[in-house]
Amino acid sequence: MISLTINDKKVEVAEGTTVLQASRQAGIDIPTLCDHPHLTPFGGCRLCMVEIEGFRTLQSACTIPAANNMVVKTGTEKVNSARKFVLSLIFSERNHFCPYCQVSGSDCELQNAAYDQGMTHWPIMPTWQNFPVDASHPYFILEHNRCILCRRCIRACNELVGVNTLGVEERGAKTIVIADLNVPLGESTCVSCGSCVQVCPTGALIDRQSAYLGPNKKLDHTRSICLGCSIGCGIDIDTRDSQLIRVDGDWDAPLNEGVLCKVGRYYPVTDDRIRLTKPMLRKDGRLQPVSWDEALASLKDKLSGSSKIRALVSENLSCETLHAAKQLFQSATKNIKLNLVSETSVPDSLYDTAKQSGPFETTLDALKTADGFVVIGSDLMKVDEVAGFFVRRTIQNGAPLIIIDDEATGLDEFANCLLQVKPDQVQNVLDAISAATRRIGESKANVPGDSVEAFKDAADKSGISTDLLLEAAYKLSNCANPAVFYNSIKAGDAGILASVIQLARVTGAGVVSTKGGANGLAAAQYEITSTIDDSSADVVFVALGDDVPSEKLVRSLEKETNLVVQASYESKLSAAAWLVLPVNNWVEQGGHYLNSSGKLQEARKALEPLILDLHTNEEVIKLVAEKLGEPINDNWKEDLFKRPSPVAISE
């Protein structure tokens, strides 16, 4: 530990801590603009300058390491004079109207810094240059007039996401932030994650949806989780007056640490589907509003008089809802088979392996610390994109990437070894890389090296050249902490899974996978599968929730005479239903979700529903059960742990 004095206060910090970090730990405020806790210190704005005994000039607190017996002053006359001068120069460079701005309301860090220094006017007149506004992007706007060139956006695009879309062009007063080779943002390689918008300290990058819907301090904030996929990223839901304003990444969430993809950040806010507000029953050939009593009574009559019933539930529903649905539909009659809507359930092969050997997968945190990757059957820049960000920000620093897939992916251009093979060859390729690793004597498992003949035989079966296989083996063998990421849905074959585990053992890699929808792992724990029975049924009950039904699902069910749809929004499926049961949407109800890392997380209710005649998904399932006289217990958590899981489950 290091001991230093800041403003006559003794502070002890770990070695390597900067003066700025030490001050924050001591509760001493130092103003900053270019600094961000989740980005590498930059030292560009010079606003955080402090006076240190023994130093001839002022030093930037964000870049200078704390030293033993260092004496720091953060608010001397010399320091405050320098900060006002820095701010004066910043104001003079662009068209900032902070003294008159009524929009930010304490959201703008530049405005806050000026008021903290007692500034009420421009000491140096702005240059009044004409800077362009880039409004080509569908989700946010780049306003160069408000930019202070702190480069937070550029560093976030690089360090947090690994995309490197943003940079700078020109020099001096003409310097501007650009996308790629100065193309419009909407035509660039931007992946619309919005990290740049969230870290921007001014209004240079503003969100299209929420820019003028109220300052941050006047919003209600609810920490919850994203339901876009099985990663379960932490989010901050911002609301006001029963309206969803925006979704930000939760910087304190240990999994994603503030990083989101466009699905998590923008889809909830831009979702313009029409809400279902009343129970609807088909009468005289058309759906008509009815009371809940009539809807449930009609459903009871149908179910009681039916000999064959099919039930489908979304894997994006909460643990509580899935557990209640399992009890209802597996006990109401022996002829009910409960399946998933999406047909992407976690394969039984994972559970067969877990039953024999226990958990064999690690958590998604392994992708953050890995120094090499094997990605099998998954396009991480389209699905589970935050996991792709973890990979991209590491491979840009030289970490090797090996891709095994039958289709092109968004990471192909970064691959050291790109092995595009047909699905039936994936297992042979995995076995061949394992054999190549053993052949070069780099196996980390306690197995002898392969003979030349054994390696060549494995290579022949894979259809991949021996040179490429050996290169892949050498790349992995030089990694201290490699990670094997596979799509658990596509790699459901027991043979492929065994080869994935074998490759991980031989290379010393951690095994990671995602599990389909937001609660795909929980559905598998409750043994709700996606093997849909396409045979006809008297009644088909679909608990859709917020999901957009696929065209395949609509085609398979639209001709069912007695189709019951439990959903939040109108869709082709609800239009074809005999009975529609409306429910609250995701932000109007809470519940628990088991992410792909086995972490049980809570999604918190952020809005009170404006539509009063609605229930949550769980409540509707329980209302149906009550009407049918079926008992429903609340042992959802206990039952979640009963089945051996491929990844260790924790709360």
Side-chain angles (χ1 to χ4, degrees), residues 471-492:
E471 181 182 0
Y474 276 118
K475 293 288 185 185
L476 289 175
S477 64
N478 287 325
C479 297
N481 298 298
V484 176
F485 184 98
Y486 72 104
N487 186 325
S488 64
I489 311 303
K490 293 179 71 173

Side-chain angles (χ1 to χ4, degrees), residues 346-347 349-351 353 360-362 364 367 374-380 384 404 426 430 483-493 496-498 500-501 504 510-516 596 646-647:
V346 181
S349 57
L350 272 68
Y351 282 90
T353 302
F360 57 88
E361 290 186 2
T362 185
L364 284 164
L367 297 181
V374 181
V375 179
I376 306 164
S378 183
D379 189 346
L380 292 180
D384 309 310
I404 304 172
V426 170
L430 293 170
V484 176
F485 184 98
Y486 72 104
N487 186 325
S488 64
I489 311 303
K490 293 179 71 173
D493 180 82
I496 293 178
L497 180 60
V500 167
I501 296 173
V511 180
V512 184
S513 79
T514 51
K515 312 291 191 303
S596 56
V647 60

Side-chain angles (χ1 to χ4, degrees), residues 275-277 292 582-584 588 611-616 619:
R275 290 291 300 271
L276 293 167
T277 60
W292 277 98
V583 290
N584 299 126
E588 297 168 347
I611 306 167
L612 300 180
D613 198 26
L614 293 184
H615 302 281
T616 66
E619 288 170 347

Side-chain angles (χ1 to χ4, degrees), residues 93-296:
E93 288 181 338
R94 297 293 163 99
N95 303 318
H96 300 289
F97 294 91
C98 294
Y100 314 105
C101 180
Q102 298 179 10
V103 175
S104 67
S106 79
D107 284 353
C108 176
E109 295 178 34
L110 176 61
Q111 185 187 63
N112 294 343
Y115 283 141
D116 287 344
Q117 294 300 318
M119 297 179 68
T120 58
H121 63 282
W122 299 301
I124 303 174
M125 185 61 66
T127 57
W128 305 119
Q129 295 185 72
N130 291 321
F131 288 97
V133 177
D134 186 346
S136 62
H137 198 281
Y139 299 124
F140 48 85
I141 294 170
L142 176 55
E143 165 61 289
H144 293 285
N145 292 277
R146 299 177 181 179
C147 182
I148 59 173
L149 297 175
C150 67
R151 291 166 172 79
R152 271 199 201 175
C153 56
I154 298 169
R155 289 144 60 207
C157 192
N158 177 3
E159 298 174 19
L160 301 183
V161 185
V163 175
N164 292 293
T165 294
L166 300 177
V168 293
E169 186 179 71
E170 298 291 353
R171 294 183 180 181
K174 293 185 178 180
T175 304
I176 61 170
V177 173
I178 63 169
D180 297 331
L181 298 177
N182 200 5
V183 301
L185 258 177
E187 301 172 15
S188 69
T189 56
C190 173
V191 296
S192 302
C193 70
S195 296
C196 56
V197 181
Q198 188 167 341
V199 300
C200 180
T202 65
L205 281 159
I206 55 176
D207 184 271
R208 281 183 176 274
Q209 299 294 323
S210 64
Y212 300 102
L213 295 180
N216 200 48
K217 68 178 182 179
K218 294 184 179 179
L219 299 178
D220 296 318
H221 301 274
T222 305
R223 285 186 174 179
S224 188
I225 57 171
C226 175
L227 306 183
C229 71
S230 66
I231 293 179
C233 294
I235 59 175
D236 179 15
I237 305 174
D238 298 339
T239 58
R240 191 188 68 244
D241 297 335
S242 298
Q243 181 184 5
L244 176 61
I245 303 299
R246 67 172 173 264
V247 175
D248 280 333
D250 181 0
W251 295 115
D252 295 325
L255 176 61
N256 59 307
E257 297 176 328
V259 179
L260 292 179
C261 69
K262 60 180 175 293
V263 174
R265 189 183 300 273
Y266 292 116
Y267 178 73
V269 185
T270 58
D271 189 359
D272 58 357
R273 290 179 291 169
I274 300 173
R275 290 291 300 271
L276 293 167
T277 60
K278 291 280 186 182
M280 305 283 283
L281 181 64
R282 192 169 295 279
K283 298 179 180 179
D284 301 324
R286 64 186 182 89
L287 287 171
Q288 300 183 34
V290 295
S291 67
W292 277 98
D293 287 339
E294 183 177 351
L296 294 172

Side-chain angles (χ1 to χ4, degrees), residues 372-373 388 390-401 411 414-416:
F373 304 91
F390 296 160
V391 174
R392 283 194 67 154
R393 66 194 192 189
T394 305
I395 61 177
Q396 69 179 353
N397 294 321
L401 171 64
L411 291 176
F414 308 105
N416 299 90

Side-chain angles (χ1 to χ4, degrees), residues 14-89:
E15 189 172 351
T17 304
T18 65
V19 170
L20 177 62
Q21 293 167 341
S23 298
R24 286 172 173 166
Q25 291 179 30
I28 299 170
D29 180 60
I30 296 178
T32 64
L33 284 174
C34 69
D35 183 76
H36 191 278
H38 288 261
L39 300 175
T40 302
F42 178 58
C45 71
R46 317 308 286 181
L47 190 63
C48 67
M49 290 185 294
V50 295
E51 197 169 356
I52 303 176
E53 282 189 8
F55 284 72
R56 183 174 58 85
T57 60
L58 299 179
Q59 302 294 313
S60 58
C62 69
T63 57
I64 188 166
N68 216 24
N69 300 321
M70 180 181 277
V71 178
V72 181
K73 300 290 184 180
T74 69
T76 65
E77 183 178 348
K78 184 178 180 180
V79 168
N80 287 328
S81 176
R83 285 177 185 162
K84 286 184 179 180
F85 181 65
V86 166
L87 288 168
S88 298
L89 292 177

Side-chain angles (χ1 to χ4, degrees), residues 396-468:
Q396 69 179 353
N397 294 321
L401 171 64
I402 299 164
I403 294 178
I404 304 172
D405 209 324
D406 60 325
E407 299 177 350
T409 77
L411 291 176
D412 285 358
E413 62 181 301
F414 308 105
N416 299 90
C417 299
L418 179 58
L419 311 178
Q420 289 189 332
V421 295
K422 295 180 180 179
D424 58 2
Q425 281 292 91
V426 170
Q427 183 178 351
N428 291 332
V429 171
L430 293 170
D431 291 341
I433 297 176
S434 296
T437 306
R438 293 192 296 269
R439 178 71 193 101
I440 63 176
E442 294 292 345
S443 173
K444 294 180 174 64
N446 189 22
V447 292
D450 276 8
S451 65
V452 174
E453 292 74 16
F455 167 56
K456 286 185 176 180
D457 182 57
D460 290 341
K461 289 181 180 179
S462 72
I464 304 296
S465 70
T466 55
D467 288 345
L468 196 54

